[in-house]
Amino acid sequence: MSVHKSEFKRITTHVLLEMKQQGNKIAMLTAYDYSMAHLLDAGGVEVLLVGDSASNVMAGHETTLPITLDQMIYHAASVVRAAKRSLVVVDMPFGSYQGNSSEALRSAIRIMKESGGHAVKLEGGAEIKESIQRILTAGIPVMGHLGLTPQSIYKFGTYTVRAKEEAEAQKLLEDAQLLQDIGCFALVLEKIPAKLATQVAQQLQIPVIGIGAGNGVDGQVLVSHDMLGITAEFKPRFLRRYAELSQVITDALGNYIADVKSGDFPNAKEQY
Ligand code: KIV
């Protein structure tokens, strides 16, 4: 059932906090363009993430590293134009915040001013503390992201589950606490053991959103194109498919091509 926007107030960071306090789970999905964002917003998704996964999904790159700040702003502005109710969180791309805190603040301000997004997301913990603090000081809400952080793929070497070892799990727990203490409004945990993610969600007051992090967290995020079955080849264990759109599209294309070639399309009612 679709949700009528007028029945609901706009989702803010405070609404998300209330949802955690009341035990209401948060549904977050990625969006990179106006048409998809319109469907997701009208469908009742609370948070639209303009993920740097646009680098893979939209541009066909192997990693998230190549996408630029200008490109992220273009995607985010398109999503913001469609979002009547959802909170729009925009990923800060690789290279736009790691240099120093002044550069991080400049990049975050560009995102907010030029896209109209409502918050930014950065990957990392203690090592980017100063940048996050500087952004927060300017009044920009920040979502953290720990666990598998795809911008560091060349350091990790693989996209396998993170924080399985005690030392990495301990650092993640400390980073999660630090991100809350300095003022992040929410945290994404990507591809870590469910037990550890549950522990983080119980330890923190802010909402913890998981992807491949089990069911003990305060909400879930997936890449829309994955859960809708558009990226048909991508089948990680954590992904649940809610549609097989690649098959639907392929069938529709076959029918269109056949109708064009046979001369069946357009018919008399489909012309002027
Ligand atoms: O870029 C992205 O899509 C993300 C999600 C996987 C959390 O960061």
Side-chain angles (χ1 to χ4, degrees), residues 30 32 49 51-53 91 121 145 188 190 211 221 223:
T30 59
Y32 317 112
L49 173 65
D52 59 357
S53 49
D91 261 344
K121 175 163 83 59
H145 183 154
V188 165
E190 181 165 354
I211 173 165
V221 56
V223 170

Side-chain angles (χ1 to χ4, degrees), residues 229-244:
I230 297 173
T231 48
E233 329 70 44
F234 186 63
K235 292 178 179 161
R237 173 169 160 175
F238 68 79
L239 176 65
R240 187 181 292 181
R241 284 263 176 75
Y242 288 85
E244 296 295 344

Side-chain angles (χ1 to χ4, degrees), residues 62-260:
E62 210 171 295
T63 72
T64 58
L65 276 66
I67 199 159
T68 66
L69 186 57
D70 283 338
Q71 288 164 342
M72 286 302 297
I73 289 170
Y74 167 80
H75 286 296
S78 307
V79 169
V80 167
R81 282 192 283 275
K84 302 291 176 259
R85 172 180 174 266
S86 314
L87 182 84
V88 179
V89 179
V90 185
D91 261 344
M92 295 192 62
F94 178 67
S96 71
Y97 61 94
Q98 290 90 346
N100 58 61
S101 62
S102 308
E103 188 188 15
L105 177 60
R106 222 178 0 261
S107 303
I109 288 177
R110 276 202 62 201
I111 289 173
M112 301 300 281
K113 260 179 141 37
E114 296 176 38
S115 78
H118 309 134
V120 296
K121 175 163 83 59
L122 288 76
E123 294 182 5
E127 56 288 349
I128 55 162
K129 176 180 167 197
E130 225 182 280
S131 293
I132 293 178
Q133 282 177 314
R134 195 94 188 257
I135 294 168
L136 286 166
T137 309
I140 301 172
V142 174
M143 178 180 270
H145 183 154
L146 297 173
L148 176 65
T149 46
Q151 292 179 11
S152 307
I153 184 57
Y154 291 117
K155 184 174 101 187
F156 296 145
T158 71
Y159 286 101
T160 53
V161 180
R162 304 302 313 170
K164 287 203 316 208
E165 306 301 328
E166 179 57 29
E168 197 181 339
Q170 192 51 43
K171 158 114 170 78
L172 188 140
L173 282 166
E174 286 164 15
D175 278 343
Q177 188 63 49
L178 173 100
L179 291 176
Q180 170 173 284
D181 292 347
I182 63 176
C184 288
F185 75 91
L187 173 65
V188 165
L189 292 180
E190 181 165 354
K191 237 177 164 184
I192 63 166
K195 200 166 155 214
L196 177 62
T198 303
Q199 193 182 343
V200 175
Q202 285 172 355
Q203 176 183 306
L204 300 189
Q205 273 81 54
I206 59 171
V208 175
I209 317 276
I211 173 165
N215 204 10
V217 289
D218 307 304
Q220 299 293 328
V221 56
L222 286 173
V223 170
S224 308
H225 290 64
D226 297 339
M227 60 84 78
L228 292 172
I230 297 173
T231 48
E233 329 70 44
F234 186 63
K235 292 178 179 161
R237 173 169 160 175
F238 68 79
L239 176 65
R240 187 181 292 181
R241 284 263 176 75
Y242 288 85
E244 296 295 344
L245 289 194
S246 74
Q247 196 53 54
V248 173
I249 292 169
T250 304
D251 291 348
L253 289 175
N255 291 337
Y256 169 70
I257 292 166
D259 287 354
V260 169

